[in-house]
Amino acid sequence: MSGRISPSLGPTGHVDDFARRNLPPLELWPDLLLDRPEFQYPDYLNAAVELTDRMVEKGFGDHTALIGNGRQRTYKELSDWSNRLAHALVENYGVKPGNRVLIRSGNNPALVAAWLAATKAGAVVVNTMPLLRAVELSKIVDKAEISLALTDSRIADELVACAKTSRFLRQVVNFDGTSNHDAELDRVALSKPVRFAAVKTGRDDVALLGFTSGTTGEPKATMHFHRDLLMIADGYAKEVLGVTPDDVFVGSPPLAFTFGLGGLAIFPLRFGATATLLENASPPEMVKIIETYKATICFTSPTAYRAMMSAMDQGADLSSLRLAVSAGETLPAPVFESWTKKTGKTILDGIGSTELLHIFISNRTGSAAAGSTGMPVAGYEAKIVDDNMNELPAGAIGKLAVRGPTGCRYLADARQTNYVRDGWNMTGDSFTRDEKGRFSFVARSDDMIISSGYNIAGPEVEAALLSHASVAECGVVGAPDEARGMIVKAYVVLAAKAVAGDALTSELQEYVKQAIAPYKYPRAIEYVAQLPKTQTGKLQRFALRQMALGKGTSPGVAAE
């Protein structure tokens, strides 16, 4: 096919070669389709410079770039701020090009400034969610061999705890996530120059490690280049969203997710638009932002769109929105139909993955259809295949295979061969394609539980439950839920003397919240006498999933 280019690597600006050394072998990469004119970049490219200093040069200096925590910041202010922080990272904290820098914060302008600063300094950034606990952060630190972490001072405790036992993490530096600039990193940066000679990174230098848990709970690091960060804007955001400098973005996904980083930072900054950032992105707070700042593009989940429609019934004015983007979980046809009818505006379903960085199949304004995910974004190709990679006819259910300008590159991970087959990215989703070439989601092909847009690995929740004295055995699967799409449901075999009941259920739920990120806790617990297993003793999760759907027989229910 035209545009098929064998993977290759351009020059590097990294002196720490950890990332390049841990890329998969080129023969295990997916095919990359890079021949479109919008995906041509110079050999040397620093994405953070393109999103800030270059925008000031283009005349956007006085335009509002970020709104958050009660303050608005222009492109010139963001450029100066990130440059001062970059000076501090290099001169005071010894960041070298190619070093990994972990950042932990909620969605606020300080996080964006820190991410841009580290990227300008040539670092490989690892953005992490505030909800992660020390044990989860430790896995990320170990995998990426991270020596420096930057954290919002209000949530420093878990990283400090992580550093106490880590063989890699040597420095935890606080920044102020509010607008006060009253923390160590802010104070150090205050006296620095507003100009910074950004590191001359290669377009194929790794700029970002996006961590995804996978079904085992062992994190995988997806490796994204400087050019990848710009390509998702120059592709999807330009073609599908048609972003202009007049747009104002709002949304709920954490910037630690590549979906959030794209939709709430990269896309607006690439086109001189404005991003509003919310630490508490509940539907009522998003409604308030939309009304106050006349937001035009919203990124959130179907669950939140339902709540926003209820707010409209109470008088909320969302008329400024021109586009609603839904992702994280499939968009139910009734939500699509209700939103379109109530607002008269488009709601776009789409599918993306951390491995491919952002959305690669999407509906379009004017042709969006209820229950359909849409067609490939410009530059991407998709097909439905069987287990042997044979393409299936229209209407058949099969595995989704995708390739395009971005693709899966896991950091030193044998699971690369599971995700990439014959040059195609295998997303782990079952889809169908109709005669018109529109793709529709059917189900996840693996054991991942997707609840309100969060990916939750059942085995990780099982491990947390099993460390409680009252739990002898357990199995965790997703159960259907109208509001969240799915919820985490645990089937628990009790230890001797443990008593099933509401009190124990509450205790186990709180226990899991303390052990791992709170959103992963089992919202439903069913006590059973035994778990379904194979003859070799392996847990049959498919049998539990059937039970959760109400289609299977519970193997000796002890209590609900």
Side-chain angles (χ1 to χ4, degrees):
M1 294 184 184
S2 66
R4 182 168 177 174
I5 298 177
S6 298
S8 62
L9 282 167
T12 180
H14 286 176
V15 296
D16 178 344
D17 68 348
F18 173 87
R20 188 158 284 203
R21 187 163 29 90
N22 283 287
L23 281 163
L26 287 173
E27 63 269 19
L28 298 183
W29 286 28
D31 293 337
L32 295 176
L33 311 181
L34 296 167
D35 67 341
R36 296 178 68 91
E38 61 265 40
F39 300 148
Q40 306 308 307
Y41 303 99
D43 285 349
Y44 290 96
L45 179 76
N46 189 301
V49 172
E50 299 301 316
L51 299 176
T52 54
D53 306 69
R54 195 77 66 236
M55 298 307 293
V56 174
E57 291 172 10
K58 290 178 179 179
F60 290 98
D62 292 334
H63 283 229
T64 301
L66 302 177
I67 298 172
N69 282 340
R71 184 165 173 181
Q72 300 189 27
R73 298 176 190 274
T74 66
Y75 276 84
K76 178 66 166 66
E77 288 172 327
L78 180 60
S79 180
D80 292 353
W81 186 10
S82 56
N83 285 340
R84 281 178 161 154
L85 291 170
H87 273 290
L89 293 177
V90 172
E91 297 159 13
N92 295 77
Y93 302 105
V95 172
K96 301 283 194 296
N99 289 168
R100 278 73 58 218
V101 173
L102 183 148
I103 305 177
R104 185 168 190 257
S105 173
N107 285 11
N108 56 49
L111 165 58
V112 175
W115 163 62
L116 291 166
T119 304
K120 287 180 176 181
V124 178
V125 178
V126 182
N127 290 317
T128 60
M129 285 196 300
L131 291 171
L132 296 184
R133 305 296 192 192
V135 63
E136 294 155 316
L137 291 166
S138 294
K139 290 180 180 180
I140 291 171
V141 165
D142 290 349
K143 181 88 175 180
E145 297 186 11
I146 296 165
S147 60
L148 172 65
L150 310 177
T151 178
D152 187 322
S153 56
R154 296 169 293 172
I155 54 169
D157 291 356
E158 294 290 338
L159 263 177
V160 171
C162 171
K164 286 178 180 175
T165 58
S166 176
R167 61 195 178 104
F168 294 109
L169 188 55
R170 295 192 297 273
Q171 293 185 96
V172 176
V173 180
N174 289 357
F175 61 83
D176 190 341
T178 73
S179 298
N180 298 326
H181 298 289
D182 189 23
E184 179 185 343
L185 182 61
D186 308 279
R187 290 191 288 269
V188 169
L190 199 58
S191 61
K192 302 295 185 184
V194 297
R195 293 189 177 275
F196 176 75
V199 170
K200 194 179 175 186
T201 43
R203 69 183 175 203
D204 298 328
D205 275 332
V206 177
L208 183 75
L209 293 180
F211 272 83
T212 179
S213 64
T215 54
T216 64
E218 286 303 311
K220 295 175 287 189
T222 63
M223 310 179 77
H224 302 294
F225 299 156
H226 282 264
R227 63 171 158 88
D228 297 335
L229 300 185
L230 299 184
M231 280 195 295
I232 61 173
D234 297 342
Y236 169 79
K238 186 175 183 180
E239 182 225 348
V240 178
L241 304 182
V243 183
T244 76
D246 294 328
D247 279 312
V248 178
F249 286 71
V250 66
S252 62
L255 289 166
F257 289 175
T258 57
F259 178 51
L261 188 69
L264 297 175
I266 295 172
F267 296 169
L269 295 179
R270 182 63 167 164
F271 298 102
T274 302
T276 61
L277 299 174
L278 288 163
E279 292 181 342
N280 170 21
S282 64
E285 290 298 316
M286 284 195 289
V287 166
K288 193 183 301 180
I289 288 292
I290 293 166
E291 291 182 325
T292 303
Y293 297 106
K294 307 302 180 193
T296 60
I297 301 177
C298 182
F299 280 83
T300 192
S301 67
T303 307
Y305 285 121
R306 284 195 195 99
M308 289 162 71
M309 283 188 281
S310 295
M312 289 178 69
D313 292 336
Q314 304 301 315
D317 179 9
L318 306 186
S319 60
S320 63
L321 285 181
R322 66 177 186 85
L323 281 178
V325 180
S326 173
E329 58 189 274
T330 191
L331 177 65
V335 178
F336 175 96
E337 290 161 349
S338 298
W339 181 270
T340 305
K341 183 178 179 181
K342 188 176 284 287
T343 67
K345 307 288 179 63
T346 302
I347 183 167
L348 298 177
D349 197 8
I351 180 172
S353 69
T354 310
E355 284 82 359
L356 279 88
L357 190 56
H358 216 273
I359 292 172
F360 47 80
I361 294 176
S362 176
N363 273 315
R364 308 296 200 280
T365 302
S367 62
S372 168
T373 313
M375 301 178 77
V377 171
Y380 290 89
E381 299 172 353
K383 61 182 181 178
I384 308 298
V385 299
D386 62 17
D387 289 340
N388 297 315
M389 294 298 291
N390 299 308
E391 187 165 5
L392 297 173
I397 297 174
K399 298 178 185 297
L400 180 65
V402 183
R403 65 182 183 181
T406 62
C408 177
R409 294 176 294 260
Y410 288 138
L411 185 150
D413 202 308
R415 289 170 287 187
Q416 178 75 15
T417 54
N418 298 336
Y419 204 93
V420 178
R421 289 187 63 188
D422 298 347
W424 292 80
N425 299 278
M426 306 303 296
T427 68
D429 298 285
S430 295
F431 264 73
T432 62
R433 178 183 55 81
D434 67 16
E435 296 287 357
K436 296 180 179 178
R438 291 183 305 204
F439 289 80
S440 295
F441 175 82
V442 177
R444 283 292 294 173
S445 305
D446 58 18
D447 292 326
M448 182 63 71
I449 303 163
I450 303 179
S451 181
S452 290
Y454 288 101
N455 286 355
I456 301 166
E460 187 179 21
V461 184
E462 290 165 9
L465 281 167
L466 285 169
S467 66
H468 191 284
S470 295
V471 178
E473 293 182 274
C474 66
V476 171
V477 294
D481 181 76
E482 186 173 342
R484 297 174 180 275
M486 299 182 88
I487 59 168
V488 177
K489 181 167 185 177
Y491 291 88
V492 171
V493 178
L494 292 176
K497 297 183 181 179
V499 179
D502 292 344
L504 180 59
T505 295
S506 296
E507 182 181 332
L508 292 176
Q509 290 171 329
E510 287 303 314
Y511 182 81
V512 172
K513 287 180 185 178
Q514 295 303 315
I516 55 179
Y519 68 85
K520 299 176 183 177
Y521 86 96
R523 292 176 181 271
I525 296 178
E526 183 173 333
Y527 300 100
V528 296
Q530 60 188 37
L531 295 173
K533 295 178 182 177
T534 64
Q535 289 183 335
T536 58
K538 187 177 180 181
L539 177 65
Q540 292 180 312
R541 281 197 184 81
F542 74 90
L544 290 181
R545 284 198 296 271
Q546 289 294 103
M547 288 162 54
L549 290 169
K551 297 179 181 178
T553 303
S554 181
V557 176
E560 178 63 37

